[in-house]
Amino acid sequence: MCRKWTFCSFLDFLSAMFSEGDSCKMAVDTPVISGSWFSEVSSVCPGQSFSIQIKEILHHQHSGFQDVLVFDSKNYGRVLVLDGMIQVTERDEFAYQEMLTHLPMFSHPHPAKVLIIGGGDGGILREVLKHPSVESVVQCEIDKDVVEVSKKFLPSLASSFSDPKLTLHIGDGLEFMQKCKGVFDIVITDSSDPVGPAESLFGVTYYESLFQALRPGGIVASQGESPWLHLELIKSMLTSCRKIFPVVDYAFSTVPSYPSGQIGYVLCSKDVATDFRIPLRTLEEADLDKWGLRYYDTEVHKAAFVLPRFASTALLP
Amino acid sequence: MCRKWTFCSFLDFLSAMFSEGDSCKMAVDTPVISGSWFSEVSSVCPGQSFSIQIKEILHHQHSGFQDVLVFDSKNYGRVLVLDGMIQVTERDEFAYQEMLTHLPMFSHPHPAKVLIIGGGDGGILREVLKHPSVESVVQCEIDKDVVEVSKKFLPSLASSFSDPKLTLHIGDGLEFMQKCKGVFDIVITDSSDPVGPAESLFGVTYYESLFQALRPGGIVASQGESPWLHLELIKSMLTSCRKIFPVVDYAFSTVPSYPSGQIGYVLCSKDVATDFRIPLRTLEEADLDKWGLRYYDTEVHKAAFVLPRFASTALLP
């Protein structure tokens, strides 16, 4: 099932990647593997690279949309890589999945109908289904191979794909969204970076479609890059969102295997009364245990909106 | 002034480093440089590595205590590396310096006499001297070459070494501390990791000496590793501290160039009434600007104590 991956020297690859200044926008579509190490190299974070030691490569293919790699690592558990970028590691995936899901879900009074765009590994779905108010979930993922690969190799994330509340569509997120009008309480966009198949999920058109797809009082949450690396991109995303939604906010969490060790979350509400910083429901310790939460709790929710001063002064209105 | 550094292939080095499982405790005393890339490789965080692209190597020597490397990077400004581990990059050093300094300083009613152990780059001293209550600062750094190198190559950190409030001692931190009884309001330990010259700064004996060195109401703050990587070490540090100090707490901040992208801070007070989570003084926006603060503000102070659930359940009493 695995095709042969491209072995290349770390040095050769990095030299080619950034040979002429930082303006290079070469697309990375083969993972950089040197000996027993995988290195993440991307034009979206030039001049730096994070490497994880491989124990065993389990799967590698080109899906038609992107390069898909799964390996067991020495210290980060199983790792899913798309187009050379780490998407999840078993060691820290819960931070991202819990925060991208529970920040919007606990900010909505009664989230019943949920749409997930992307999220092919199943981690967001797993978290959404923990909320007893949820009646149905629609998920639209562009790449069916990511779903299949995750079911096979990442069952701790993908086991919820068999849940009867789920309707799974394989297709383009923006196209799907444009057909939905006033349907959802929550839309979560769990996308890769704005290079490659997820590019359309970062523009104004996408956010306008999100607004239309929501019921009154609806909320959207999207992956929002890292303030340490992409402050201007985030600023521009938030400016676009503020033209469409009456309430827009930005939070972040730590995720060691993502570039700079953190990732942000863009949150927008149709309801002018939404305050994302004050969750509407609180889980007691026993419930936090029952839900298996390892990153999120009510205090973490509130603190996630407190950005380092360089970021808060740049991003908050 | 530079001696020749060891060129070695990234792959060769990594393979040697972690060849037989993860139990290897080989000391890294030469930086790993491959072509134009520096890679941080350490037995304290096995199975992962962070790399920064070099623009120009400015300085390299063995000081007698440790390997000292300074280079200009493509995207992280100037970088100081000791024994192969990144200590500061101009891009993100402010996060660490501001938090390790201002968390204890704003938790003390009137910090007048301050001791800094380590901190040879001068960044903590720079932040301490921003507090108008400070009358005198004593700093004890084991490696005079780090001070000299920082003065020459990192003036934005080291310019405060000429401040008349400072008395600089070159010597062992633990030995120096053991001679001080009831002298300081604040002691800040700005050390490298517990491998190499900083090893003695992580033990019970060191914390007992810290307690003795403080005036009544005194506070100590120390570098406290990353909850994502060193939860057991941190737990053990906090357990030791709680046997000595009546108030012990733990905070963290993001610092992209440190392993896992974050670092923690251990805070202890002699005063049972200290609440580290509520700063005693607040800086208004104009003061934050005047002080040149880019990470710290009052809200950041409070939020720094809110740990991800996996860490709070493990570390809080």
Side-chain angles (χ1 to χ4, degrees):
Chain A
M1 194 165 180
C2 293
R3 67 170 191 159
K4 191 92 186 130
W5 56 90
T6 310
F7 271 108
C8 68
S9 117
F10 184 73
L11 170 60
D12 291 350
F13 192 92
L14 294 176
S15 301
M17 185 73 194
F18 301 115
S19 53
E20 292 303 318
D22 298 326
S23 59
C24 166
K25 288 284 174 195
M26 176 179 146
V28 183
D29 63 359
T30 49
V32 181
I33 294 171
S34 178
S36 69
W37 287 76
F38 163 79
S39 296
E40 187 174 82
V41 181
S42 170
S43 61
V44 301
C45 41
Q48 67 183 76
S49 175
F50 180 64
S51 304
I52 292 183
Q53 194 173 14
I54 298 167
K55 200 194 281 175
E56 186 186 358
I57 292 180
L58 301 173
H59 180 86
H60 188 238
Q61 66 163 141
H62 199 286
S63 69
F65 290 98
Q66 54 203 339
D67 185 282
V68 181
L69 170 70
V70 181
F71 63 86
D72 272 332
S73 69
K74 286 265 187 183
N75 294 74
Y76 276 78
R78 203 156 276 184
V79 181
L80 171 67
V81 177
L82 298 179
D83 275 354
M85 297 295 285
I86 295 165
Q87 300 301 308
V88 294
T89 84
E90 284 180 330
R91 181 167 173 179
D92 61 7
E93 56 85 14
F94 63 90
Y96 173 75
Q97 319 288 357
E98 291 182 17
M99 293 298 277
L100 182 55
T101 303
H102 302 308
L103 290 176
M105 293 293 279
F106 281 110
S107 300
H108 191 286
H110 187 81
K113 294 188 185 299
V114 179
L115 172 63
I116 301 166
I117 298 290
D121 55 59
I124 298 296
L125 176 62
R126 176 190 72 197
E127 296 302 318
V128 164
L129 290 167
K130 291 177 179 173
H131 290 258
S133 62
V134 170
E135 293 164 11
S136 65
V137 185
V138 178
Q139 180 160 358
C140 182
E141 161 63 51
I142 200 166
D143 191 342
K144 74 171 171 22
D145 287 359
V146 173
V147 176
E148 293 310 316
V149 163
S150 301
K151 278 184 187 171
K152 182 167 179 185
F153 294 105
L154 293 162
S156 67
L157 287 101
S159 59
S160 301
F161 280 122
S162 59
D163 194 284
K165 288 181 180 173
L166 173 70
T167 307
L168 179 64
H169 287 273
I170 300 298
D172 180 81
L174 177 56
E175 277 177 36
F176 181 84
M177 182 88 67
Q178 286 171 332
K179 290 179 217 149
C180 304
K181 305 288 174 203
V183 181
F184 300 105
D185 298 307
I186 302 277
V187 184
I188 298 173
T189 306
D190 173 20
S191 69
S192 44
D193 291 316
V195 177
E199 198 169 350
S200 68
L201 306 184
F202 285 78
V204 176
T205 311
Y206 183 69
Y207 276 92
E208 282 167 347
S209 306
L210 281 172
F211 186 90
Q212 297 299 329
L214 290 175
R215 282 173 162 180
I219 283 174
V220 302
S222 303
Q223 188 260 91
E225 302 293 333
S226 166
W228 278 105
L229 297 174
H230 304 114
L231 204 56
E232 288 309 309
L233 172 67
I234 298 165
K235 205 170 167 173
S236 147
M237 281 173 75
L238 295 183
T239 303
S240 299
C241 291
R242 288 193 184 107
K243 288 178 187 154
I244 301 164
F245 290 89
V247 180
V248 176
D249 215 333
Y250 186 84
F252 81 101
S253 77
T254 65
V255 185
S257 67
Y258 285 168
S260 87
Q262 9 276 325
I263 195 156
Y265 308 100
V266 177
L267 294 148
C268 310
S269 176
K270 255 185 158 167
D271 183 352
V272 70
T274 301
D275 181 353
F276 285 113
R277 294 166 185 234
I278 312 287
L280 296 176
R281 295 173 300 288
T282 296
L283 293 181
E284 301 304 319
E285 280 301 304
D287 285 323
L288 292 166
D289 285 341
K290 201 171 132 197
W291 288 37
L293 297 182
R294 287 181 282 165
Y295 198 96
Y296 180 94
D297 63 24
T298 301
E299 291 311 306
V300 168
H301 182 128
K302 294 176 191 167
F305 293 87
V306 181
L307 307 180
R309 186 166 188 254
F310 79 91
S312 60
T313 50
L315 298 180
L316 299 183
Chain B
M1 194 163 181
C2 292
R3 68 168 191 159
K4 191 91 184 128
W5 56 88
T6 309
F7 270 109
C8 68
S9 114
F10 183 73
L11 169 60
D12 291 347
F13 193 91
L14 294 177
S15 301
M17 184 73 192
F18 301 115
S19 52
E20 291 305 316
D22 299 326
S23 60
C24 166
K25 288 283 172 193
M26 176 179 145
V28 183
D29 62 359
T30 48
V32 181
I33 295 170
S34 179
S36 69
W37 287 77
F38 162 79
S39 295
E40 187 174 81
V41 181
S42 169
S43 60
V44 300
C45 40
Q48 67 183 76
S49 175
F50 181 64
S51 304
I52 293 183
Q53 195 173 15
I54 297 167
K55 201 194 275 174
E56 186 187 357
I57 291 180
L58 302 173
H59 179 85
H60 187 239
Q61 65 163 143
H62 199 285
S63 69
F65 290 99
Q66 54 202 338
D67 186 282
V68 181
L69 170 71
V70 181
F71 63 86
D72 273 331
S73 69
K74 286 268 187 180
N75 293 74
Y76 275 78
R78 203 158 276 184
V79 181
L80 172 67
V81 177
L82 299 180
D83 276 354
M85 296 295 285
I86 295 166
Q87 301 300 308
V88 295
T89 84
E90 285 180 330
R91 180 166 174 180
D92 62 6
E93 56 87 13
F94 63 91
Y96 174 74
Q97 320 287 358
E98 291 181 19
M99 293 297 276
L100 183 54
T101 304
H102 302 308
L103 290 176
M105 295 292 280
F106 281 112
S107 300
H108 191 287
H110 187 81
K113 294 190 185 298
V114 179
L115 172 63
I116 301 166
I117 299 291
D121 55 58
I124 298 296
L125 177 61
R126 177 190 72 198
E127 296 303 318
V128 165
L129 289 167
K130 290 176 179 173
H131 289 259
S133 62
V134 170
E135 292 163 12
S136 64
V137 185
V138 178
Q139 180 159 358
C140 182
E141 162 62 51
I142 200 166
D143 192 342
K144 72 171 172 24
D145 288 0
V146 173
V147 175
E148 292 310 316
V149 162
S150 300
K151 279 183 184 170
K152 182 166 178 186
F153 294 105
L154 293 162
S156 67
L157 286 101
S159 59
S160 301
F161 279 122
S162 60
D163 194 284
K165 287 181 182 172
L166 173 70
T167 306
L168 180 64
H169 287 272
I170 300 299
D172 179 81
L174 178 56
E175 277 176 36
F176 181 84
M177 182 87 65
Q178 286 171 331
K179 291 179 216 147
C180 304
K181 305 288 173 201
V183 181
F184 300 105
D185 298 308
I186 303 277
V187 183
I188 298 173
T189 307
D190 173 19
S191 70
S192 45
D193 290 315
V195 176
E199 199 170 348
S200 68
L201 307 184
F202 284 79
V204 176
T205 312
Y206 184 69
Y207 276 92
E208 282 167 348
S209 307
L210 282 171
F211 186 89
Q212 297 298 330
L214 290 175
R215 282 174 162 179
I219 282 173
V220 302
S222 304
Q223 189 258 91
E225 303 294 330
S226 165
W228 278 104
L229 297 174
H230 304 114
L231 204 56
E232 287 308 309
L233 171 66
I234 298 165
K235 205 169 167 174
S236 147
M237 283 173 75
L238 296 183
T239 302
S240 300
C241 291
R242 288 192 185 109
K243 289 178 187 156
I244 301 165
F245 290 90
V247 180
V248 176
D249 215 334
Y250 187 84
F252 81 101
S253 77
T254 66
V255 184
S257 67
Y258 285 169
S260 87
Q262 12 275 327
I263 195 158
Y265 308 100
V266 176
L267 294 147
C268 310
S269 176
K270 254 185 160 167
D271 184 352
V272 70
T274 301
D275 181 353
F276 285 112
R277 295 167 184 234
I278 312 287
L280 296 176
R281 296 174 299 287
T282 296
L283 293 180
E284 300 302 318
E285 279 302 303
D287 285 322
L288 292 165
D289 285 341
K290 201 171 133 199
W291 288 36
L293 297 181
R294 288 181 283 164
Y295 198 95
Y296 180 94
D297 63 26
T298 300
E299 291 310 306
V300 169
H301 181 129
K302 294 176 190 167
F305 292 88
V306 181
L307 307 181
R309 185 166 188 255
F310 78 91
S312 61
T313 51
L315 298 180
L316 298 184

